[in-house]
Structure formats: C-alpha cells, structure tokens
Amino acid sequence: MGNLLKVLTCTDLEQEPNFFLDFENAQPTEAERDVWEQVDVVLKDAKGILDELQSYKGAGQEIREAIQNPSDEALQEQAWAAVVPLVGKLKKFYEFSQRLEAALHSLLGALTNETHSDPTQHLEREQALAKQFAEILHFTLRFDELKMTNPAIQNDFSYYRRTLSRMRINNVPAGGENEVNNELANRISLFYADATPMLKTLSDGTTKFVSENKTLPIENTTDCLSTMASVCKVMLEAPEYRSRFNSEETVSFCLRVMVGVIILYDYVHPVGAFAKSSKIDMKGCIKVLKDQPPNSVEGLLNALRYTTKHLNDESTNKTIKSMLQ
C-alpha cells in the first residue's frame, strides 16, 4: 500500500486537500530516484550542520579581552586564533545554504512539472520527493531558530572582518585570510544579517525558480505549496491521522513544514498567503499552532509574524492579524 493515502481531494477551501502523507517511511520510486539521490547527498549533511550550530559557543570572552586591552598583542593573537576556526564554520553553513537552494530547485522542478495534472497527483505519486521537500523546510526553520538565539555568530564575524581590515591597513599577514576573501565575506555578512537567513535563501530560491521557468504556470508552484500546507494541517488536527505517527517528533516536523510552506507561498504568490483568495486556510493553520504546547511553537508563530511578506497588508483579514498578535 502506498505511503500516501488519498482520502479526498478538492480545490475549494471548504473541502481542502485531505491526505495522510507518510513523512516517516516514504521511499523513492524508480521515476523519483535520480532527483532523490541528488537531494539525499545534501540532506545527509543537514543534521551535522544543525549539531555544529547548536554547539556553536563563539569567541565572546576572547574578543572582549582583546578590545579592552588593545595594546596587549598576546590577547589580540588569542582572539584572532579563536575567531578564525569559527569563521570557517560560518563559511561552511553559508555554503550549505547554497547547496540547499540547488536541491530545492531540483525538487520544485520535479514536483511542479507537467507530468501530472495537479499537485495532488504529484504528492501522491512522488511521496519520497515530497518528504525531502518537507525535510528541507524542517531543517531551514530549525537552523533559523538556533541562529536567532545565538548573537555570537554576528559578533564573531564582525570582529573577524574588522580585524582583517586593520591587518591589511597595517600590512600584517593574516593567517586566516585564506579562509574567507573579501567578496565572500560580503556575501556571508549579508546572509547572517538577516534574522532568518536559511528561510530567506529558500524564499529567494523559490521566487528565482518561478522567474526562471517562465513556461511553467506560477500556479504549479503555489498550488504545490498550498497543498502541502493543507496536508500538514489536516494530519495535525485529525486524531485518526495524528495517531498514525510513530514518533512525537513527527508532530513538530509537520508543524515546521506547514509554517515553511506558508512562508514560501506568501513570497511566491502575487497576493500572498493571507489574502482572501489564498488557497491556504490561514485561520485553521494558526489555530493548529495555537493548540500545541505554547513553548513548542512560539518560534514558529514568530516566523509567521516577522518573516512573511504580506501579513501587514491592508487586505489581510483582521481576525488573522489579531490571532498572530
């Protein structure tokens, strides 16, 4: 039996797509295998990236001591020695975001092409690719949650750039300069300056995918996203679906994926996720989030509050705005 059980499919919001999508066990068919294997190479590194970010402590103490004692060369050297390997990690995270964007393009290409007549069929017949798409979204929101609570990242990188600039002015050889050149440093700096850098990478990447594939109707992409959001919402609110999850972690996985596709939809769709014409039941999605233990979803509610594009538009329903206040 397939991992995705189709119960009902309609396009009206009143009778939204209603699936059980098995995020825990979906395996690739032969037709999916080429794209699945390309994306799998990237996703295999995702957990290691999250583990490294979670354990990232920063060089705050060494930097403070160096700044407070500018004439103490030993302290300056200690701070530099502490920061250089950390910048290597930050570079690695940034480069992974580029690989993730390329993987997203491959998945969107497969899930939105004209092989099947609608997103329901794509998700039903390409379950393993839908699962990988979900895993990218889950990783993205988890990465950004960790980054937002770690001010050391931007402090370390700022100190690195300031020190490197000073070394150049004074013609001092910089041992760590090979790690990140000036042009790359500018791009990395812009990446971390964003509150949610991975989400911005995916949002920009999805928008770019739509603009580069001009022969593909934009609805192919937005309907894929709205269908995924609806599937996640129904699985979370229907006890007969939720009881099929083998692990409680699948609940938080579904919640993150739902929020991730809403944000992508809001960026790609001309009027966004909060408009009356949106194919996403935003009130229902927010209610599902608010029905969870508060501490577990505050980061996701904040992602909807602060990283969407159209929430504060005049056309946004006042009830939706008040639900997110």
Side-chain angles (χ1 to χ4, degrees):
M1 195 158 96
N3 290 322
L4 178 62
L5 303 176
K6 183 172 68 169
V7 180
L8 171 73
T9 55
C10 291
T11 50
D12 293 336
L13 250 188
E14 294 75 31
Q15 294 179 298
E16 62 197 340
N18 181 336
F19 297 48
F20 183 77
L21 173 51
D22 193 343
F23 284 137
E24 293 171 335
N25 303 305
Q27 295 298 317
T29 60
E30 277 310 305
E32 296 169 274
R33 192 164 297 281
D34 282 352
V35 172
W36 186 89
E37 285 177 352
Q38 286 172 40
V39 176
D40 188 54
V41 170
V42 179
L43 285 172
K44 275 180 176 162
D45 292 335
K47 187 181 184 306
I49 295 284
L50 289 179
D51 289 345
E52 281 192 63
L53 178 57
Q54 192 148 21
S55 62
Y56 187 100
K57 296 291 182 248
Q61 188 176 339
E62 292 91 340
I63 290 170
R64 271 192 303 277
E65 288 177 0
I67 290 171
Q68 286 163 8
N69 302 278
S71 57
D72 188 325
E73 280 306 313
L75 288 176
Q76 307 308 309
E77 286 172 15
Q78 277 174 29
W80 182 248
V83 162
V84 167
L86 293 172
V87 166
K89 284 189 177 184
L90 298 180
K91 176 191 174 193
K92 180 181 173 182
F93 300 161
Y94 167 75
E95 288 173 340
F96 186 75
S97 77
Q98 306 305 293
R99 293 174 61 205
L100 202 68
E101 183 181 349
L104 176 75
H105 275 226
S106 298
L107 285 173
L108 286 174
L111 291 169
T112 63
N113 64 31
E114 303 286 0
T115 314
H116 303 302
S117 61
D118 60 40
T120 299
Q121 286 192 359
H122 269 294
L123 292 175
E124 184 175 17
R125 296 176 192 181
E126 296 164 343
Q127 303 152 26
L129 298 186
K131 178 174 180 273
Q132 286 185 320
F133 183 38
E135 285 168 348
I136 286 178
L137 291 162
H138 180 264
F139 164 84
T140 295
L141 269 74
R142 185 71 190 118
F143 181 97
D144 287 344
E145 282 170 11
L146 291 169
K147 183 263 176 186
M148 277 196 281
T149 55
N150 196 337
I153 289 172
Q154 279 178 277
N155 293 341
D156 291 349
F157 201 73
S158 295
Y159 178 80
Y160 172 83
R161 296 192 77 192
R162 286 197 311 272
T163 307
L164 195 58
S165 177
R166 195 163 58 245
M167 286 174 161
R168 286 191 185 124
I169 290 166
N170 296 328
N171 290 318
V172 175
E177 190 170 2
N178 292 335
E179 193 66 63
V180 178
N181 64 31
N182 205 39
E183 184 197 343
L184 183 57
N186 287 336
R187 283 191 309 215
I188 293 175
S189 188
L190 278 173
F191 175 74
Y192 289 111
D194 199 276
T196 52
M198 284 290 174
L199 204 47
K200 182 169 185 353
T201 299
L202 287 204
S203 298
D204 290 350
T206 307
T207 305
K208 189 176 165 190
F209 172 82
V210 169
S211 65
E212 284 177 354
N213 291 274
K214 291 184 169 53
T215 57
L216 196 69
I218 189 171
E219 291 77 21
N220 287 33
T221 304
T222 55
D223 287 356
C224 174
L225 299 175
S226 61
T227 302
M228 185 81 97
S230 298
V231 168
C232 290
K233 179 180 83 73
V234 170
M235 288 201 297
L236 287 160
E237 66 189 359
E240 66 270 26
Y241 290 165
R242 194 160 169 161
S243 64
R244 294 189 203 175
F245 296 157
N246 292 322
S247 163
E248 197 55 32
E249 285 180 11
T250 308
V251 174
S252 65
F253 181 89
C254 261
L255 289 164
R256 279 205 181 91
V257 173
M258 181 180 76
V259 169
V261 286
I262 288 169
I263 294 167
L264 289 187
Y265 183 98
D266 196 48
Y267 269 83
V268 178
H269 195 281
V271 295
F274 301 95
K276 196 173 181 182
S277 59
S278 165
K279 289 191 178 179
I280 297 178
D281 172 15
M282 284 308 305
K283 289 178 192 171
C285 289
I286 295 166
K287 184 180 182 303
V288 165
L289 283 167
K290 293 203 160 186
D291 285 344
Q292 312 306 314
N295 294 343
S296 66
V297 292
E298 196 54 35
L300 297 178
L301 288 167
N302 283 338
L304 290 178
R305 288 174 186 128
Y306 306 122
T307 64
T308 45
K309 186 177 179 182
H310 293 283
L311 174 61
N312 294 316
D313 289 2
E314 281 184 24
S315 58
T316 297
N317 184 298
K318 287 185 173 60
T319 308
I320 292 174
K321 284 184 180 175
S322 66
M323 286 176 83
L324 283 172
Q325 278 173 357

